Amino acid sequence: MIRNVVLVHGGFVDGSGWLGLHRLLTADGFTVKIVQNPTLSLEGDVAATRFILDGLDGPAVLVGHSYGGAVISESGTHDAVAALVYIAAFAPDKGESVNTLIADPPPGAPVPPILPPRDGFLFLDRDKFHASFAADLPKDEAAFLADAQVPWGVGALAGTVTEPAWRHKPSWYLVATADRMIPPAAQRAMATRAGAVTAEAIGSHAVYASQPGAVADLIRQAAAGR
């Protein structure tokens, strides 16, 4: 049984959204580390993740939400990583980026309310944040996330994966079936391509915060190699 878990957040948010999951996993005896990746560039976020991995004693389950899936795909080749878990996340192949994965959305798919870049950074429309990103969180919690948005560097979306870790290491994927940021069909396609053990939860893009129990269950499976 793997006892280390490393969590990597996505764009627009920071690591505080993992609080509920952290409580569940540490109560189970896991050692949990949360990467506060700056989301300025894929290279920088991979370096931040590998810095945390370097300090571990023993193997780890590496978990990524949303853009964090690109980060774990690139950083997961680290020797300490024994398993990958994607939570409503991008899972790029070699030469792909978040930009290439969102370039051709399926007909009728919801369009994330991303505002035009400002000084090289992206934000979500505050008034549409709740419905698009966190529909299953209480209104006040979603409003806090909207007001606490972390500027997402446009360079991070363009960062390409050089050698996806999911091609070499076992992977798990949680599909958020009510996601309005990454279409569930796209999530299922990426999970299938990665050969991931797949589970589904009725949740928004913020499923990592709204349904920490479902996320914890999948991480426990990965830690046990099931």
Side-chain angles (χ1 to χ4, degrees):
M1 171 73 81
I2 302 166
R3 302 312 303 174
N4 293 308
V5 178
V6 176
L7 307 175
V8 182
H9 65 78
F12 305 118
V13 295
D14 66 13
S16 62
W18 296 113
L19 176 60
L21 179 63
H22 181 274
R23 286 172 173 160
L24 293 175
L25 294 177
T26 54
D28 280 351
F30 288 98
T31 297
V32 182
K33 300 295 183 182
I34 296 169
V35 182
Q36 291 285 16
N37 41 307
T39 66
L40 299 178
S41 69
L42 180 62
E43 181 182 34
D45 296 332
V46 167
T49 303
R50 288 180 170 156
F51 179 80
I52 297 298
L53 292 168
D54 285 342
L56 296 180
D57 180 14
V61 177
L62 183 59
V63 183
H65 168 252
S66 191
Y67 160 73
V71 179
I72 72 169
S73 294
E74 181 73 1
S75 60
T77 54
H78 191 286
D79 289 343
V81 177
L84 304 163
V85 178
Y86 293 83
I87 308 298
F90 294 104
D93 203 347
K94 183 175 182 178
E96 290 182 344
S97 65
V98 169
N99 276 344
T100 61
L101 291 174
I102 65 175
D104 189 22
V111 178
I114 300 174
L115 298 173
R118 179 160 59 90
D119 297 329
F121 294 99
L122 299 173
F123 292 89
L124 288 179
D125 186 325
R126 184 197 183 281
D127 294 336
K128 298 177 181 178
F129 190 99
H130 190 191
S132 62
F133 192 99
D136 54 354
L137 285 178
K139 186 176 181 179
D140 61 338
E141 290 185 27
F144 173 79
L145 290 176
D147 289 335
Q149 285 186 66
V150 178
W152 191 9
V154 295
L157 285 77
T160 57
V161 169
T162 59
E163 184 57 40
W166 52 258
R167 287 201 170 274
H168 309 285
K169 299 186 180 183
S171 302
W172 283 256
Y173 197 110
L174 182 66
V175 175
T177 62
D179 198 326
R180 298 184 65 82
M181 295 290 294
I182 303 177
Q187 295 182 37
R188 295 185 185 105
M190 288 186 286
T192 298
R193 181 175 69 171
V197 176
T198 305
E200 300 200 354
I202 302 172
S204 72
H205 194 57
V207 67
Y208 67 101
S210 64
Q211 294 206 47
V215 177
D217 285 344
L218 196 62
I219 292 171
R220 292 185 192 107
Q221 291 179 35
R226 299 197 305 268

